[in-house]
């Protein structure tokens, strides 16, 4: 499938979904829309992903089947400056996929236009209607369950999840990812955006996915969200921790991050404090150990400094650590198997 | 206002809302509906609350203005065995108020009947439409903020909240409760059922209520929900903890409770472990200390044994403790002021 990805003003550093789709999805990306970077190419900004031209608007994008909204601002609203591109996409016969809290299908203009042009509006953050509370049974599944947990948002939990599943499959392990956020869902084609469900059903939504994935796979890697000490999103993190009832945790962190992104008055605890926080909180429901660390070193200059940062992080959490984008996820795989 | 309260098969021990309304609301309760206890009186089961006859069905209830659904099963569904009573209430011209996840107003039959008879269906668990993510600002309010936290569901967080506010008012302190669950909302006439909001907005919903209450009051007591290690509901608990950014915590527990209610394979941590779990998890967002304990001793036989249980609980958490129903909330008030 040919897709264009909207990422105005945010590509690549604030466009997690765009980068995730470029890196992991099976789609053929024909263009990234970012008026601030028009004329460049995706790989000018993010080495190692599939390449695509960056263009200023949907008018400049080649033929494609779908427009993906590849950015999600805090709060998940729809930015009205995106409206002309979404409109153009629909008029050109493209489906539109988004993971916002604001549902495109509930937008009067988009719903009418989509109807006129026979295209679909896919709101991947819309939860299933039949969710309910957790039963506390995810710990009973017949599979190894691993959960990626983080020190903050945007530190690499989704990336670590995807890389770990890929590394396991290369080793011949029957592994599955459990996507809990919009990007993972767009990449894997299933999942529930756990931050959008009724709060009472947070753990239940995760439990159901773990049970489903474990029925057919030997290793289940659950994509974590947020951070257990995030002033806004910790509820989601906590629900995933207790709903997944993982056997092992992988702690994800971004090198140099000292405060909560977007909430800079809140300093991050140390990595070792995070280990205690996650393990202590998991224990009464299901004991789980932080067995590995994933450090995102994209903002670290040079391989030597990156290596050093990874080693320091591993020493701090007293577990093997790596940067899954630079070095792959084999070390983490070793630690979880 | 005259109200009847539906509590079939659950009054009083599994009918938190019914008991809460009997104990704290300004309503005149004309009947409790429980076919298993028909012919008895409310105070035969719960001493110290307003009295009312227990009847088998709405057909046997005296004239009233409203039927309150006073029970909420795990999952918050509507039990079809309640339908005849709700139907009768509407046909008799009563409003119907419920705090279920299942919304009465979305039930075709009830909606049509309510329309025919000109009565209101109040679903107090329906969240406001304009909620969003927390900004992390509840710590900046100009009021003392106290949060009741629990070792489990149904241990007395709502009761402790109400008793503490009442004790503060009696002392001349300008105090307000922040209701976060259906019973508190029915009693206070405002609030948000935090377990029903979009999970990403959990902390945000609480933050907004704390900011609003703190604008007009000197002491704000936030009603906690669930438990930080509950296999199903911990997400809500965690969101309230970080959204409220309380200065002080009151730990609520039920004497003799050894396992999570309804999830009996999960043992409760010790009271001192709960103190650490709550304080450690609060600290990175806003340091908060457990300054008092509230032990629910309703299942303890005799005053001496209750006193002993309270003293033991206080020693375990190293803070003043009481049973707010037996002894009032003055000791807790001393500790939070």
């Amino acid at each position: 499938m040919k897709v264009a990805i909207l990422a105005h003003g945010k590509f690549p550093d604030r466009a997690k979904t765009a980068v995730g789709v470029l890196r992991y999805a099976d789609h053929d990306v024909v263009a990234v829309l970012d008026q601030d970077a028009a004329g460049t190419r995706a790989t000018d900004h993010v080495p190692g992903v599939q390449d695509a031209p960056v263009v200023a608007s949907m008018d400049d994008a080649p033929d494609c089947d779908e427009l993906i909204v590849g950015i999600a601002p805090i709060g998940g609203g729809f930015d009205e400056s995106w409206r002309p591109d979404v409109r153009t996409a629909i008029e050109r016969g493209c489906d539109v996929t988004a993971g916002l809290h604001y549902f495109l299908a509930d937008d009067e203009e988009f719903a009418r236009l989509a109807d006129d042009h026979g295209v679909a509006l896919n709101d991947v953050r819309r939860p299933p209607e039949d969710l309910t509370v957790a039963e506390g049974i995810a710990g009973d599944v017949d599979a190894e369950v691993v959960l990626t947990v983080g020190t903050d948002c945007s530190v690499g939990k989704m990336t670590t999840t995807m890389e770990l599943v890929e590394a396991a499959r290369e080793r011949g392990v029957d592994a599955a990812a459990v996507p809990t956020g919009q990007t993972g869902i767009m990449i894997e084609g299933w999942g529930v955006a756990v931050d959008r469900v009724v709060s009472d059903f947070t753990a239940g939504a995760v439990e159901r996915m773990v049970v489903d994935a474990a029925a057919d796979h030997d290793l289940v890697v659950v994509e974590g969200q947020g951070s257990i000490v995030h002033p806004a999103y910790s509820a989601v993190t906590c629900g995933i921790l207790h709903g997944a009832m993982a056997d092992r945790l992988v702690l994800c962190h971004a090198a140099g991050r000292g405060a909560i992104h977007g909430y800079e008055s809140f300093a991050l605890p140390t990595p070792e404090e995070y280990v205690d926080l996650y393990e202590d909180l998991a224990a009464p429901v299901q004991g789980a150990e932080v067995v590995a660390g994933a450090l995102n070193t994209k903002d670290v200059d040079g391989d030597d400094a990156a290596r050093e940062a990874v080693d320091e992080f591993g020493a701090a959490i007293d577990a093997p650590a790596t940067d899954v984008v630079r070095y792959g996820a084999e070390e983490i795989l070793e630690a979880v198997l």
Side-chain angles (χ1 to χ4, degrees), chain A residues 67-149:
Chain A
L67 173 65
I68 291 175
V69 177
I71 42 185
I74 285 179
F78 181 84
D79 190 312
E80 283 300 322
S81 71
W82 308 339
R83 188 169 288 274
D85 287 316
V86 173
R87 193 185 288 136
T88 303
I90 297 173
E91 288 168 352
R92 286 175 53 180
C94 296
D95 295 340
V96 184
T97 295
L100 305 170
H101 277 303
Y102 181 89
F103 295 144
L104 299 182
D106 295 346
D107 182 284
E108 262 184 54
E109 183 191 9
F110 295 151
R112 197 185 60 241
L113 271 179
D115 202 43
D116 290 351
H117 292 271
V119 306
L121 301 175
N122 308 310
D123 292 297
V124 304
R125 217 164 185 173
R126 193 191 292 272
E129 303 222 326
D130 60 345
L131 293 174
T132 185
V133 298
E135 296 176 55
I137 57 170
D140 303 335
V141 299
D142 184 23
E144 189 72 18
V145 179
V146 176
L147 168 64
T148 55
V149 294

Coordinates of all heavy atoms in Angstrom, one line a residue, chain A residues 67-149:
Chain A
L67 N -3.5 8.6 3.4 CA -2.8 9.6 4.2 C -2.8 9.2 5.7 O -3.9 8.9 6.2 CB -3.5 11.0 4.0 CG -2.9 12.1 4.9 CD1 -1.4 12.4 4.5 CD2 -3.7 13.4 4.8
I68 N -1.6 9.1 6.3 CA -1.5 8.8 7.7 C -1.2 10.1 8.4 O -0.2 10.8 8.0 CB -0.5 7.7 7.9 CG1 -0.9 6.4 7.3 CG2 -0.1 7.6 9.4 CD1 0.1 5.3 7.4
V69 N -1.9 10.4 9.5 CA -1.6 11.6 10.3 C -0.5 11.1 11.2 O -0.7 10.2 12.1 CB -2.8 12.1 11.1 CG1 -2.3 13.2 12.0 CG2 -3.8 12.6 10.1
G70 N 0.7 11.6 11.0 CA 1.9 11.0 11.7 C 2.4 11.7 12.9 O 3.5 11.5 13.3
I71 N 1.6 12.6 13.4 CA 2.0 13.4 14.6 C 0.8 13.4 15.5 O -0.4 13.3 15.1 CB 2.4 14.8 14.3 CG1 1.5 15.5 13.2 CG2 3.8 14.9 13.8 CD1 1.9 16.8 12.8
A72 N 1.0 13.5 16.8 CA 0.0 13.5 17.8 C 0.4 14.5 18.9 O 1.2 14.2 19.8 CB -0.2 12.1 18.4
P73 N -0.2 15.7 18.9 CA 0.2 16.7 19.9 C -0.3 16.3 21.3 O -1.2 15.4 21.4 CB -0.5 18.0 19.5 CG -1.6 17.5 18.6 CD -1.2 16.2 18.0
I74 N 0.3 16.9 22.3 CA -0.2 16.6 23.7 C -1.7 16.9 23.7 O -2.1 17.9 23.3 CB 0.6 17.5 24.7 CG1 2.0 17.0 24.9 CG2 -0.2 17.6 26.0 CD1 2.9 17.8 25.9
G75 N -2.4 15.9 24.3 CA -3.9 16.1 24.3 C -4.6 15.5 23.1 O -5.8 15.2 23.2
G76 N -3.8 15.2 22.0 CA -4.4 14.4 20.9 C -5.4 15.1 20.1 O -6.3 14.5 19.5
G77 N -5.4 16.5 20.1 CA -6.3 17.2 19.3 C -6.0 17.3 17.8 O -4.9 16.8 17.4
F78 N -6.9 17.8 17.0 CA -6.7 17.9 15.6 C -6.3 19.4 15.3 O -7.0 20.3 15.8 CB -8.0 17.6 14.8 CG -7.9 17.7 13.3 CD1 -7.3 16.7 12.6 CD2 -8.2 18.9 12.7 CE1 -7.2 16.8 11.2 CE2 -8.1 19.0 11.3 CZ -7.5 17.9 10.5
D79 N -5.2 19.6 14.7 CA -4.7 21.0 14.4 C -5.4 21.4 13.1 O -5.3 20.8 12.1 CB -3.2 20.9 14.2 CG -2.6 22.3 14.2 OD1 -3.2 23.2 13.4 OD2 -1.7 22.6 14.9
E80 N -6.1 22.5 13.2 CA -6.9 23.0 12.0 C -6.0 23.3 10.8 O -6.5 23.2 9.7 CB -7.8 24.2 12.4 CG -9.0 23.8 13.2 CD -10.0 22.8 12.5 OE1 -10.1 23.0 11.2 OE2 -10.5 21.9 13.1
S81 N -4.8 23.5 11.0 CA -3.9 23.8 9.9 C -3.7 22.5 9.0 O -3.2 22.6 7.9 CB -2.5 24.3 10.4 OG -1.8 23.2 11.0
W82 N -4.1 21.4 9.6 CA -3.9 20.1 8.8 C -5.1 19.9 7.9 O -5.1 19.0 7.0 CB -3.8 18.9 9.7 CG -2.8 18.9 10.8 CD1 -1.7 19.7 10.8 CD2 -2.8 18.2 12.0 NE1 -1.0 19.5 11.9 CE2 -1.6 18.6 12.7 CE3 -3.6 17.2 12.5 CZ2 -1.2 18.0 13.9 CZ3 -3.2 16.7 13.8 CH2 -2.1 17.1 14.5
R83 N -6.2 20.7 8.1 CA -7.5 20.4 7.4 C -7.4 20.4 5.9 O -7.9 19.4 5.2 CB -8.6 21.4 7.9 CG -10.0 21.1 7.4 CD -11.0 21.9 8.1 NE -11.2 21.5 9.5 CZ -12.1 20.5 9.8 NH1 -12.8 19.9 8.9 NH2 -12.2 20.2 11.1
P84 N -6.7 21.4 5.3 CA -6.6 21.3 3.8 C -5.9 20.0 3.3 O -6.4 19.5 2.2 CB -5.7 22.5 3.5 CG -5.9 23.4 4.6 CD -6.0 22.6 5.8
D85 N -4.9 19.5 3.9 CA -4.3 18.3 3.5 C -5.2 17.1 3.6 O -5.2 16.2 2.7 CB -3.0 18.0 4.3 CG -1.9 18.9 3.9 OD1 -1.7 19.2 2.7 OD2 -1.2 19.5 4.8
V86 N -5.9 17.0 4.7 CA -6.8 15.9 4.9 C -7.9 16.0 3.8 O -8.3 15.0 3.2 CB -7.4 15.9 6.3 CG1 -8.5 14.8 6.4 CG2 -6.3 15.6 7.3
R87 N -8.4 17.2 3.6 CA -9.5 17.4 2.6 C -9.0 17.0 1.2 O -9.6 16.2 0.5 CB -9.8 18.9 2.6 CG -11.1 19.3 1.9 CD -11.3 20.8 1.8 NE -11.6 21.3 3.1 CZ -11.1 22.5 3.6 NH1 -10.2 23.1 2.9 NH2 -11.5 22.9 4.8
T88 N -7.8 17.4 0.9 CA -7.2 17.1 -0.4 C -7.0 15.6 -0.6 O -7.3 15.0 -1.6 CB -5.8 17.8 -0.6 OG1 -6.0 19.2 -0.5 CG2 -5.2 17.5 -2.0
A89 N -6.6 14.9 0.5 CA -6.4 13.5 0.4 C -7.7 12.8 0.1 O -7.8 11.9 -0.8 CB -5.8 13.0 1.8
I90 N -8.7 13.2 0.8 CA -10.0 12.5 0.6 C -10.5 12.8 -0.8 O -10.9 11.9 -1.5 CB -11.1 13.1 1.6 CG1 -10.6 12.7 3.1 CG2 -12.4 12.5 1.3 CD1 -11.5 13.3 4.2
E91 N -10.3 14.0 -1.3 CA -10.8 14.4 -2.6 C -10.0 13.6 -3.7 O -10.5 13.4 -4.8 CB -10.7 15.9 -2.8 CG -11.8 16.6 -2.0 CD -11.6 18.1 -2.0 OE1 -10.5 18.6 -2.4 OE2 -12.5 18.8 -1.5
R92 N -8.8 13.2 -3.4 CA -8.0 12.4 -4.3 C -8.2 10.9 -4.1 O -7.6 10.1 -4.7 CB -6.5 12.7 -4.1 CG -6.1 14.1 -4.6 CD -4.6 14.4 -4.3 NE -3.7 13.4 -4.7 CZ -2.4 13.4 -4.6 NH1 -1.8 14.5 -4.0 NH2 -1.6 12.4 -4.9
G93 N -9.2 10.6 -3.3 CA -9.6 9.2 -3.1 C -8.7 8.4 -2.1 O -8.8 7.1 -2.2
C94 N -8.0 9.1 -1.3 CA -7.2 8.4 -0.3 C -8.0 8.1 1.0 O -8.7 9.0 1.4 CB -6.0 9.2 0.2 SG -4.8 9.6 -1.1
D95 N -7.8 6.9 1.6 CA -8.3 6.7 3.0 C -7.4 7.6 3.9 O -6.3 8.0 3.5 CB -8.1 5.3 3.4 CG -9.0 4.3 2.6 OD1 -9.9 4.7 2.0 OD2 -8.6 3.1 2.6
V96 N -7.9 7.9 5.0 CA -7.1 8.7 6.0 C -7.1 8.0 7.3 O -8.2 7.6 7.8 CB -7.7 10.1 6.2 CG1 -6.8 10.9 7.1 CG2 -7.8 10.9 4.9
T97 N -5.9 7.8 7.9 CA -5.7 7.0 9.1 C -5.1 8.0 10.1 O -4.1 8.7 9.8 CB -4.8 5.8 8.9 OG1 -5.5 4.9 8.0 CG2 -4.5 5.1 10.2
A98 N -5.7 8.0 11.3 CA -5.2 8.9 12.4 C -5.3 8.2 13.7 O -6.1 7.3 13.9 CB -5.9 10.2 12.4
G99 N -4.5 8.6 14.7 CA -4.5 8.1 16.0 C -4.7 9.2 17.0 O -4.1 9.1 18.1
L100 N -5.5 10.1 16.7 CA -5.8 11.2 17.6 C -6.9 10.9 18.6 O -7.7 10.0 18.3 CB -6.2 12.5 16.8 CG -5.2 12.9 15.7 CD1 -5.8 14.0 14.8 CD2 -3.9 13.4 16.4
H101 N -7.0 11.6 19.7 CA -8.2 11.6 20.5 C -9.4 12.1 19.8 O -10.5 11.7 20.0 CB -8.0 12.3 21.8 CG -7.2 11.6 22.9 ND1 -7.7 10.4 23.4 CD2 -6.1 11.9 23.6 CE1 -6.8 9.9 24.3 NE2 -5.9 10.8 24.4
Y102 N -9.1 13.1 18.9 CA -10.2 13.7 18.1 C -10.4 12.7 16.9 O -9.5 12.4 16.2 CB -9.7 15.0 17.5 CG -10.8 15.7 16.7 CD1 -11.7 16.6 17.2 CD2 -10.8 15.5 15.3 CE1 -12.7 17.2 16.4 CE2 -11.7 16.2 14.5 CZ -12.6 17.0 15.0 OH -13.6 17.6 14.2
F103 N -11.6 12.2 16.8 CA -11.9 11.2 15.7 C -12.3 11.9 14.4 O -13.3 12.6 14.4 CB -13.0 10.3 16.2 CG -12.6 9.4 17.4 CD1 -13.5 9.1 18.3 CD2 -11.3 9.0 17.5 CE1 -13.2 8.3 19.4 CE2 -10.9 8.2 18.6 CZ -11.8 7.9 19.6
L104 N -11.5 11.6 13.3 CA -11.8 12.1 12.0 C -13.3 11.8 11.6 O -14.0 12.6 11.0 CB -10.9 11.6 11.0 CG -9.4 11.9 11.2 CD1 -8.5 11.4 10.1 CD2 -9.1 13.4 11.3
A105 N -13.7 10.6 11.9 CA -15.0 10.1 11.4 C -16.1 10.9 12.1 O -17.3 10.9 11.6 CB -15.2 8.6 11.7
D106 N -15.8 11.6 13.2 CA -16.8 12.4 13.9 C -16.8 13.8 13.4 O -17.6 14.6 13.9 CB -16.6 12.3 15.4 CG -16.9 10.9 16.0 OD1 -17.4 10.1 15.3 OD2 -16.4 10.7 17.1
D107 N -15.9 14.1 12.5 CA -15.8 15.5 12.0 C -16.8 15.6 10.8 O -16.7 14.8 9.9 CB -14.4 15.7 11.5 CG -14.2 17.2 11.0 OD1 -14.6 17.4 9.8 OD2 -13.6 18.0 11.7
E108 N -17.7 16.5 10.9 CA -18.8 16.6 10.0 C -18.3 16.7 8.5 O -18.7 16.0 7.6 CB -19.7 17.8 10.3 CG -20.9 17.4 11.0 CD -21.8 18.6 11.2 OE1 -22.2 19.3 10.2 OE2 -22.2 18.9 12.4
E109 N -17.3 17.6 8.3 CA -16.8 17.9 6.9 C -16.2 16.6 6.4 O -16.4 16.2 5.3 CB -15.9 19.0 6.9 CG -15.4 19.3 5.5 CD -14.2 20.3 5.3 OE1 -13.6 20.6 6.3 OE2 -13.9 20.6 4.2
F110 N -15.3 16.0 7.2 CA -14.5 14.8 6.8 C -15.5 13.7 6.5 O -15.3 12.9 5.6 CB -13.4 14.5 7.8 CG -12.3 15.5 7.9 CD1 -11.7 15.6 9.1 CD2 -12.0 16.3 6.9 CE1 -10.7 16.6 9.3 CE2 -11.0 17.3 7.0 CZ -10.3 17.4 8.2
A111 N -16.4 13.5 7.4 CA -17.4 12.4 7.3 C -18.2 12.5 5.9 O -18.3 11.5 5.2 CB -18.3 12.3 8.5
R112 N -18.6 13.7 5.7 CA -19.4 14.0 4.4 C -18.5 13.8 3.2 O -18.9 13.0 2.3 CB -19.9 15.4 4.5 CG -21.1 15.7 3.5 CD -21.5 17.1 3.5 NE -20.3 18.0 3.1 CZ -19.8 18.9 3.9 NH1 -20.3 19.2 5.1 NH2 -18.8 19.6 3.4
L113 N -17.3 14.3 3.2 CA -16.4 14.2 2.1 C -16.0 12.7 1.9 O -16.0 12.3 0.7 CB -15.1 15.0 2.4 CG -15.0 16.5 2.0 CD1 -13.7 17.0 2.3 CD2 -15.3 16.6 0.4
A114 N -15.7 12.0 2.9 CA -15.3 10.6 2.8 C -16.5 9.8 2.2 O -16.2 8.9 1.4 CB -15.0 10.1 4.2
D115 N -17.7 10.2 2.6 CA -18.8 9.5 2.0 C -19.0 9.8 0.5 O -19.1 8.9 -0.3 CB -20.1 10.0 2.8 CG -21.2 9.1 2.7 OD1 -21.0 7.8 2.8 OD2 -22.4 9.5 2.5
D116 N -18.8 11.1 0.2 CA -18.9 11.5 -1.2 C -17.8 10.7 -2.1 O -18.1 10.4 -3.2 CB -18.6 13.0 -1.4 CG -19.8 13.8 -0.8 OD1 -20.8 13.2 -0.5 OD2 -19.6 15.0 -0.7
H117 N -16.6 10.6 -1.5 CA -15.5 10.0 -2.3 C -15.3 8.6 -2.1 O -14.3 8.0 -2.6 CB -14.3 10.8 -2.1 CG -14.4 12.3 -2.6 ND1 -14.0 12.6 -3.9 CD2 -14.8 13.4 -2.0 CE1 -14.2 13.9 -4.0 NE2 -14.7 14.4 -2.9
G118 N -16.1 7.9 -1.3 CA -16.0 6.5 -1.0 C -14.7 6.1 -0.4 O -14.1 5.0 -0.8
V119 N -14.2 6.9 0.5 CA -12.9 6.5 1.2 C -13.2 6.2 2.7 O -14.3 6.7 3.2 CB -11.8 7.6 1.1 CG1 -11.6 7.9 -0.4 CG2 -12.2 8.8 1.8
A120 N -12.3 5.6 3.3 CA -12.5 5.2 4.8 C -11.7 6.2 5.6 O -10.6 6.7 5.3 CB -12.0 3.8 5.0
L121 N -12.3 6.5 6.8 CA -11.6 7.3 7.8 C -11.3 6.4 9.0 O -12.2 5.9 9.6 CB -12.4 8.5 8.3 CG -12.9 9.5 7.2 CD1 -13.8 10.5 7.8 CD2 -11.6 10.2 6.6
N122 N -10.0 6.0 9.2 CA -9.7 5.0 10.2 C -9.1 5.7 11.5 O -8.0 6.3 11.4 CB -8.6 4.1 9.7 CG -8.9 3.5 8.4 OD1 -10.0 2.9 8.2 ND2 -8.0 3.6 7.4
D123 N -9.9 5.7 12.5 CA -9.4 6.3 13.8 C -8.9 5.2 14.7 O -9.7 4.6 15.4 CB -10.6 7.1 14.5 CG -11.0 8.3 13.7 OD1 -10.1 9.2 13.6 OD2 -12.1 8.4 13.2
V124 N -7.6 4.9 14.6 CA -7.1 3.8 15.3 C -7.1 3.9 16.8 O -6.9 2.9 17.5 CB -5.7 3.4 14.9 CG1 -5.6 3.2 13.4 CG2 -4.6 4.4 15.3
R125 N -7.4 5.1 17.3 CA -7.4 5.3 18.8 C -8.8 5.0 19.3 O -9.1 5.0 20.5 CB -7.0 6.7 19.1 CG -6.2 6.8 20.4 CD -5.5 8.1 20.5 NE -4.6 8.3 21.6 CZ -3.9 9.4 21.7 NH1 -3.9 10.3 20.8 NH2 -3.1 9.5 22.7
R126 N -9.8 4.8 18.4 CA -11.2 4.5 18.9 C -11.2 3.1 19.5 O -10.8 2.1 18.9 CB -12.2 4.6 17.8 CG -13.6 4.6 18.2 CD -14.6 4.4 17.1 NE -14.7 5.5 16.1 CZ -15.4 6.6 16.3 NH1 -16.2 6.7 17.3 NH2 -15.4 7.5 15.3
P127 N -11.6 3.0 20.8 CA -11.5 1.7 21.5 C -12.6 0.8 21.1 O -13.7 1.3 20.7 CB -11.6 2.0 23.0 CG -12.3 3.4 23.0 CD -12.0 4.1 21.7
P128 N -12.4 -0.5 21.2 CA -13.5 -1.5 21.0 C -14.6 -1.2 22.0 O -14.4 -0.6 23.1 CB -12.9 -2.9 21.3 CG -11.5 -2.6 21.5 CD -11.2 -1.2 21.7
E129 N -15.9 -1.5 21.7 CA -17.0 -1.2 22.5 C -17.2 -2.2 23.7 O -18.0 -1.9 24.6 CB -18.3 -1.1 21.7 CG -18.2 -0.1 20.6 CD -19.4 0.8 20.4 OE1 -20.5 0.3 20.6 OE2 -19.2 2.0 20.0
D130 N -16.6 -3.4 23.6 CA -16.9 -4.4 24.5 C -15.8 -4.6 25.6 O -15.7 -5.7 26.2 CB -17.1 -5.7 23.8 CG -15.9 -6.2 23.0 OD1 -15.0 -5.3 22.8 OD2 -15.8 -7.3 22.6
L131 N -15.0 -3.6 25.8 CA -14.0 -3.7 26.9 C -14.6 -3.8 28.3 O -15.7 -3.3 28.5 CB -13.0 -2.5 26.8 CG -12.2 -2.4 25.6 CD1 -11.4 -1.1 25.6 CD2 -11.2 -3.6 25.5
T132 N -13.9 -4.4 29.2 CA -14.4 -4.4 30.6 C -13.2 -4.5 31.5 O -12.1 -4.2 31.1 CB -15.4 -5.5 30.8 OG1 -15.9 -5.4 32.2 CG2 -14.8 -6.9 30.6
V133 N -13.5 -4.7 32.8 CA -12.4 -4.7 33.8 C -11.5 -5.9 33.7 O -12.0 -7.0 33.2 CB -12.9 -4.5 35.2 CG1 -13.7 -3.2 35.4 CG2 -13.8 -5.7 35.6
A134 N -10.3 -5.8 34.1 CA -9.4 -7.0 34.1 C -9.9 -8.0 35.1 O -10.5 -7.7 36.1 CB -8.0 -6.5 34.5
E135 N -9.6 -9.3 34.8 CA -9.9 -10.4 35.7 C -8.6 -10.8 36.5 O -8.7 -11.6 37.4 CB -10.4 -11.6 34.9 CG -11.7 -11.4 34.2 CD -12.0 -12.7 33.4 OE1 -12.1 -13.8 34.0 OE2 -12.2 -12.5 32.2
G136 N -7.5 -10.2 36.1 CA -6.2 -10.6 36.8 C -5.7 -11.9 36.4 O -5.1 -12.7 37.2
I137 N -5.8 -12.2 35.1 CA -5.5 -13.6 34.6 C -4.3 -13.6 33.6 O -3.9 -14.6 33.1 CB -6.7 -14.3 33.9 CG1 -7.2 -13.4 32.7 CG2 -7.8 -14.6 34.9 CD1 -8.2 -14.1 31.9
A138 N -3.7 -12.4 33.3 CA -2.7 -12.4 32.3 C -1.4 -13.1 32.8 O -0.6 -13.6 32.0 CB -2.3 -10.9 31.9
G139 N -1.3 -13.3 34.1 CA -0.2 -14.0 34.6 C -0.2 -15.5 34.4 O 0.8 -16.2 34.5
D140 N -1.4 -16.0 34.0 CA -1.6 -17.4 33.8 C -1.3 -17.9 32.4 O -1.4 -19.1 32.1 CB -3.0 -17.8 34.1 CG -3.4 -17.4 35.5 OD1 -2.5 -17.3 36.4 OD2 -4.6 -17.2 35.8
V141 N -1.0 -17.0 31.4 CA -0.9 -17.4 30.0 C 0.4 -18.3 29.9 O 1.3 -18.2 30.6 CB -0.8 -16.2 29.1 CG1 -2.0 -15.4 29.2 CG2 0.5 -15.4 29.3
D142 N 0.3 -19.1 28.8 CA 1.4 -20.0 28.5 C 2.4 -19.4 27.5 O 2.5 -19.9 26.4 CB 0.8 -21.3 28.0 CG 1.9 -22.4 27.7 OD1 2.9 -22.3 28.4 OD2 1.6 -23.3 26.9
A143 N 3.0 -18.3 27.9 CA 4.0 -17.6 27.0 C 4.8 -16.7 27.9 O 4.4 -16.4 29.0 CB 3.3 -16.8 26.0
E144 N 6.0 -16.4 27.5 CA 6.8 -15.5 28.2 C 6.3 -14.1 27.9 O 6.2 -13.7 26.7 CB 8.3 -15.7 27.7 CG 9.3 -14.9 28.5 CD 9.5 -15.6 29.9 OE1 9.2 -16.7 30.1 OE2 10.1 -14.8 30.7
V145 N 6.0 -13.3 28.9 CA 5.5 -11.9 28.6 C 6.5 -10.9 29.1 O 6.9 -10.9 30.2 CB 4.1 -11.7 29.3 CG1 3.6 -10.3 29.0 CG2 3.1 -12.7 28.8
V146 N 6.9 -10.0 28.2 CA 7.8 -9.0 28.4 C 7.1 -7.6 28.2 O 6.4 -7.5 27.3 CB 9.0 -9.1 27.5 CG1 10.0 -7.9 27.7 CG2 9.8 -10.4 27.7
L147 N 7.4 -6.7 29.1 CA 6.8 -5.3 28.9 C 7.9 -4.3 28.9 O 8.8 -4.3 29.7 CB 5.9 -5.0 30.1 CG 5.4 -3.6 30.3 CD1 4.5 -3.2 29.2 CD2 4.6 -3.4 31.6
T148 N 7.8 -3.4 27.9 CA 8.7 -2.3 27.8 C 8.1 -1.1 28.7 O 7.0 -0.8 28.5 CB 8.9 -1.8 26.4 OG1 7.7 -1.5 25.8 CG2 9.6 -2.9 25.6
V149 N 8.9 -0.7 29.6 CA 8.5 0.4 30.5 C 9.5 1.6 30.3 O 10.6 1.4 29.8 CB 8.4 0.0 32.0 CG1 7.4 -1.0 32.2 CG2 9.8 -0.5 32.5

